[in-house]
């Protein structure tokens, strides 16, 4: 049966790159129906809701979403831009992509960071004989997307009941006399089920794509309870995957090893905040925002999106200068999810050829400042990059 893909372009360059990804999917012979869904700043301004119910209904029905990017602005700025007829009616802005992750409990976030040979943005380091070496990175970060330090359970001036409860812990002694208004608490909450799901998903992915190691990147020597729970689940599940080595790293040491030996790591699993940090770190090694793709996967619904935002300053440039590769790679993750792995591989191989040939490059790949001038300096347009990729996609 042909799947129906809910396309949510959103704002800014989300509107530019999403249609490019659809062109590549079609070129690879992926058969699907596409249904457009509204999301983003425009709908906040006009309707007081950046995530219309219709969009939620479409995703509930069709289960698969392809998302561009949205613009988010601080609370007061959001209120200022709200349609005058809606002002003072209690509308509060919230990020619709965060809203989607919460609504559909998209607890598994996957962020692959693989360097393409010949990408001028690849990380290089000095070797032992004063030359340079370019380690090829192929790490896939599994970030727990709904719990942990980003659960949002925090207080400044915590209510008495909370404070009393905290005071049951012997380590609260040193905060006993701090006045409430001078005390802020954030909590790192993790459930066994969520740890189990992220670890199992990571092992299954490692197994499916032939990775030989899985690293739990946490801080169990300090965060004994929460990181400890994650490790406990990892050790249990590892017994089902005897051919995949289980490694443990601390998040701080992992960031040091990022430049020392990033090529050694395969699948990495972390809690929400640590996963945020470690995935941005690895993305920097393989070309940054123009190359960083991601998937948000729940029990029912899955949404695929580039890591980058709406880059509003490039929204109106015509032709567009931005790199569509992160969005196209996110579409490849959707293909993997739908078990169309051969088509995904075909597209990734095409991207690899274009990058290695180096004849067609977007401005970021040439380390230029973004403006219309980049075309005179030899950069290609967004559409030219897509067309070059399509040239190598095999039907
Ligand atoms: P951003 O990712 O939109 O852009 C930062 C810079 O990265 C751009 O100015 C550009 O130089 C570069 N860049 C981004 N995507 C690129 C691409 N495809 N090709 C080449 N260069 C690219 O982040 P920023 O400027 O912090 O935020 C802009 C807006 O996007 C904000 O309103 C923010 O809230 C929102 N945002 C949305 C996200 C989402 O939709 N998931 C994620 C991050 C930010
Ligand atoms: Mg981030």
């Amino acid at each position: 049966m042909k799947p129906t893909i809910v396309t949510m372009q959103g704002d800014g360059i989300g509107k530019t790159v999403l249609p490019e990804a659809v062109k590549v999917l079609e070129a690879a012979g992926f058969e699907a129906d596409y249904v457009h869904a509204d999301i983003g700043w425009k709908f906040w301004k006009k309707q007081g809701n950046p995530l219309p119910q219709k969009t939620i209904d479409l995703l509930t029905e069709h289960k698969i979403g392809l998302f561009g990017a949205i613009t988010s602005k601080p609370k007061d700025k959001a209120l200022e831009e709200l349609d005058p007829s809606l002002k003072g009616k209690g509308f509060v802005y919230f990020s619709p992509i965060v809203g989607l992750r919460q609504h559909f409990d998209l607890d598994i976030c996957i962020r692959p960071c693989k360097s393409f040979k010949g990408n001028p943005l690849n990380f290089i380091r000095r070797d032992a004989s004063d030359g340079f070496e370019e380690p090829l990175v192929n790490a896939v970060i599994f970030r727990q997307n709904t719990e942990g330090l980003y659960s949002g359970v925090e207080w400044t001036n915590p209510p008495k009941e909370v404070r009393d409860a905290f005071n049951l812990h012997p380590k609260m002694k040193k905060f006993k006399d701090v006045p409430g208004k001078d005390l802020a608490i954030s909590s790192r909450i993790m459930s066994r089920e969520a740890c189990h799901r992220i670890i199992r998903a990571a092992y299954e992915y490692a197994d499916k794509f032939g990775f030989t190691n899985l690293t739990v990147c946490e801080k169990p020597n300090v965060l004994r309870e929460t990181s400890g729970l994650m490790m406990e689940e990892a050790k249990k599940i590892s017994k089902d995957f005897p051919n995949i080595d289980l490694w443990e790293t601390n998040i701080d040491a992992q960031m040091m090893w990022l430049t020392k030996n990033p090529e050694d790591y395969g699948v990495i699993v972390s809690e929400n905040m640590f996963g945020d940090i470690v995935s941005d770190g690895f993305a920097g090694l393989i070309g940054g925002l123009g190359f960083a793709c991601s998937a948000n996967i729940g029990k029912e619904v899955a949404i695929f999106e580039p890591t980058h935002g709406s880059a509003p300053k490039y929204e109106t440039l015509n032709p567009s200068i931005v790199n569509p590769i992160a969005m196209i790679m996110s579409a490849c993750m959707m293909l993997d999810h739908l078990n169309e792995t051969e088509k995904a591989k075909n597209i990734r191989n095409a991207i690899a050829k274009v990058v290695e040939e180096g004849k067609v490059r977007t401005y970021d790949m040439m380390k230029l400042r973004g403006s219309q001038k980049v075309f005179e300096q030899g950069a290609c347009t967004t559409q030219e990059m897509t067309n070059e990729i399509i040239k190598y996609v095999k039907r």
Side-chain angles (χ1 to χ4, degrees):
M1 213 182 69
K2 252 204 300 191
T4 298
I5 313 298
V6 180
T7 53
M8 297 164 278
Q9 301 185 344
D11 303 306
I13 66 165
K15 290 186 290 202
T16 314
V17 293
L18 197 145
E20 300 304 303
V22 172
K23 279 190 220 164
V24 179
L25 288 170
E26 282 172 349
F30 173 61
E31 288 185 19
D33 293 319
Y34 295 90
V35 47
H36 167 88
D38 295 337
I39 196 164
W41 197 248
K42 192 166 111 192
F43 302 94
W44 159 252
K45 290 205 299 190
K46 278 202 313 209
Q47 303 173 9
N49 183 4
L51 178 54
Q53 183 59 40
K54 177 88 193 297
T55 298
I56 292 183
D57 295 344
L58 284 169
L59 282 163
T60 308
E61 182 183 349
H62 300 297
K63 319 266 185 262
I64 304 286
L66 204 49
F67 174 80
I70 48 89
T71 296
S72 269
K73 296 185 190 178
K75 237 166 61 187
D76 37 343
K77 189 91 190 108
L79 277 179
E80 212 177 279
E81 292 190 26
L82 191 60
D83 189 273
S85 68
L86 300 174
K87 279 188 182 155
K89 295 199 172 149
F91 290 103
V92 183
Y93 180 80
F94 63 92
S95 158
I97 181 66
V98 175
L100 284 174
R101 289 177 194 147
Q102 286 168 353
H103 182 89
F104 291 110
D105 196 14
L106 305 177
D107 61 330
I108 294 164
C109 176
I110 313 176
R111 296 183 165 187
C113 296
K114 183 173 181 181
S115 27
F116 287 110
K117 242 195 193 152
N119 185 349
L121 302 176
N122 281 349
F123 167 68
I124 55 169
R125 70 180 167 224
R126 207 179 283 279
D127 67 17
S129 50
D130 247 2
F132 290 94
E133 55 193 8
E134 185 177 323
L136 288 181
V137 175
N138 185 14
V140 183
I141 291 85
F142 275 68
R143 166 187 174 191
Q144 207 297 325
N145 221 12
T146 48
E147 300 191 348
L149 198 59
Y150 294 169
S151 299
V153 183
E154 48 177 15
W155 297 267
T156 302
N157 197 1
K160 182 172 178 310
E161 297 88 328
V162 172
R163 208 147 171 183
D164 288 347
F166 267 92
N167 283 339
L168 296 174
H169 199 290
K171 294 228 164 109
M172 271 305 281
K173 242 191 214 132
K174 68 174 168 218
F175 300 107
K176 197 167 61 50
D177 299 322
V178 180
K181 66 176 180 28
D182 298 329
L183 190 72
I185 297 178
S186 295
S187 46
R188 190 177 196 254
I189 307 178
M190 288 157 70
S191 69
R192 188 179 299 280
E193 199 213 340
C195 293
H196 181 95
R197 272 179 53 78
I198 191 86
I199 300 260
R200 178 150 287 280
Y203 264 111
E204 283 170 0
Y205 185 100
D207 191 44
K208 181 170 170 185
F209 294 103
F211 287 90
T212 55
N213 61 66
L214 182 145
T215 304
V216 175
C217 173
E218 279 287 322
K219 187 81 182 177
N221 53 339
V222 177
L223 302 170
R224 289 171 188 279
E225 304 306 324
T226 44
S227 290
L229 186 61
M230 186 78 100
M231 237 6 258
E232 208 179 297
E233 285 311 295
K235 281 181 184 150
K236 265 192 247 164
I237 297 169
S238 70
K239 297 205 172 75
D240 297 341
F241 299 89
N243 298 326
I244 299 170
D245 292 335
L246 175 60
W247 296 348
E248 266 181 79
T249 57
N250 287 336
I251 176 70
D252 47 345
Q254 183 76 67
M255 295 319 277
M256 179 183 63
W257 291 328
L258 199 62
T259 51
K260 284 192 94 168
N261 60 336
E263 65 272 42
D264 291 349
Y265 297 93
V267 171
I268 297 176
V269 189
S270 296
E271 165 266 1
N272 213 337
M273 185 205 199
F274 291 169
D276 199 7
I277 294 172
V278 80
S279 63
D280 272 12
F282 271 94
L285 303 176
I286 58 112
L289 290 174
F291 288 85
C293 55
S294 80
N296 304 281
I297 298 175
K299 285 180 189 147
E300 296 283 329
V301 171
I303 297 174
F304 303 84
E305 55 159 337
T307 307
H308 65 72
S310 61
K313 61 183 176 192
Y314 302 144
E315 173 176 7
T316 53
L317 289 188
N318 187 15
S320 168
I321 63 168
V322 297
N323 191 345
I325 290 180
M327 182 78 234
I328 297 169
M329 297 271 289
S330 305
C332 289
M333 296 187 76
M334 178 184 80
L335 292 177
D336 284 337
H337 181 77
L338 295 169
N339 277 321
E340 295 269 20
T341 43
E342 281 310 308
K343 292 193 176 79
K345 212 184 205 172
N346 180 7
I347 296 173
R348 289 191 185 104
N349 286 342
I351 297 172
K353 279 195 196 119
V354 173
V355 175
E356 188 164 13
E357 268 194 8
K359 286 192 302 210
V360 175
R361 283 177 173 167
T362 45
Y363 85 97
D364 54 319
M365 297 172 74
M366 299 177 71
K367 304 180 196 189
L368 299 172
R369 280 177 78 87
S371 79
Q372 207 86 61
K373 283 206 200 96
V374 301
F375 302 130
E376 290 154 33
Q377 296 165 290
C380 71
T381 67
T382 306
Q383 288 74 19
E384 283 166 348
M385 175 54 89
T386 310
N387 293 342
E388 191 68 8
I389 292 167
I390 287 175
K391 227 167 79 182
Y392 289 102
V393 169
K394 288 193 281 257
R395 277 307 284 265

